Amino acid sequence: MPTLTHHGGHVGVTGSCHELHYGANHSLLVDCGLFQGKDAVRHPALEIEFPVDPITAVVLTHAHWDHSGGASIFADARLIIRQAELDWWQASVLEGNPESVGLREQDLAAVAGRAEPVGDLEVEPWPGIRLIPGGAHTAGALWVKVGDVALASANVYLYETLAGPTAY
């Protein structure tokens, strides 16, 4: 079972960034967000205060920039995102006003060419780590389950979402 370190999104509500350690040279990051609002006063720029070399993959729970804004920093890591979320992100940029829904064009540029989209079914891309589509926060959000721990990002609002098949 991996160990978990919260690098962001655990004190305030933005800057989501959670690392699952599988050893000294292998980690999976769940989100790599920037801070916004009151959190941005304490963290005015993207601050990476941990080694990025062990990060072999980044799972983006959704495309809002407080969850995906640091994707360009992890240039050597795999980027995992739901296809529905990637499609929504691209459509929002094409419509010309992505910031109105919390997206940034430069983040999409860092992700689009190297994303490894997953579909609408639950998958287990690594032993013991399940990517579960759901939540109504964005068009193609997902959450990550490791054993009995859910890294829900902004996607799970109620316990019932975890306990049953209904997405909220």
Side-chain angles (χ1 to χ4, degrees):
M1 183 68 84
T3 59
L4 176 64
T5 301
H6 300 287
H7 296 296
H10 61 291
V11 176
V13 296
T14 67
S16 180
C17 185
H18 313 281
E19 185 176 1
L20 296 167
H21 303 271
Y22 285 93
N25 298 316
H26 177 67
S27 292
L28 164 71
L29 208 58
V30 177
D31 287 340
C32 54
L34 299 177
F35 293 94
Q36 64 186 30
K38 292 178 184 176
D39 296 333
V41 173
R42 292 190 306 266
H43 306 280
L46 180 61
E47 299 171 351
I48 300 297
E49 298 174 348
F50 56 92
V52 299
D53 292 341
I55 308 295
T56 58
V58 178
V59 174
L60 300 177
T61 59
H62 64 288
H64 287 154
W65 64 281
D66 61 326
H67 295 263
S68 66
S72 63
I73 291 172
F74 302 95
D76 296 328
R78 297 170 59 199
L79 289 175
I80 311 297
I81 187 169
R82 266 184 75 200
Q83 183 66 57
E85 188 74 355
L86 188 57
D87 292 345
W88 174 66
W89 200 351
Q90 290 169 328
S92 296
V93 167
L94 287 174
E95 290 170 5
N97 195 15
E99 289 82 11
S100 69
V101 289
L103 306 175
R104 297 186 330 160
E105 188 170 353
Q106 64 265 37
D107 299 333
L108 175 61
V111 171
R114 52 191 268 261
E116 297 179 28
V118 295
D120 293 332
L121 300 176
E122 183 176 318
V123 295
E124 188 172 340
W126 302 277
I129 297 181
R130 294 173 28 215
L131 306 181
I132 302 169
H137 188 61
T138 61
L142 62 82
W143 53 284
V144 179
K145 190 167 183 195
V146 183
D148 293 331
V149 175
L151 298 172
S153 176
N155 298 310
V156 177
Y157 298 98
L158 304 170
Y159 174 77
E160 290 81 8
T161 308
L162 294 173
T166 304
Y168 292 89

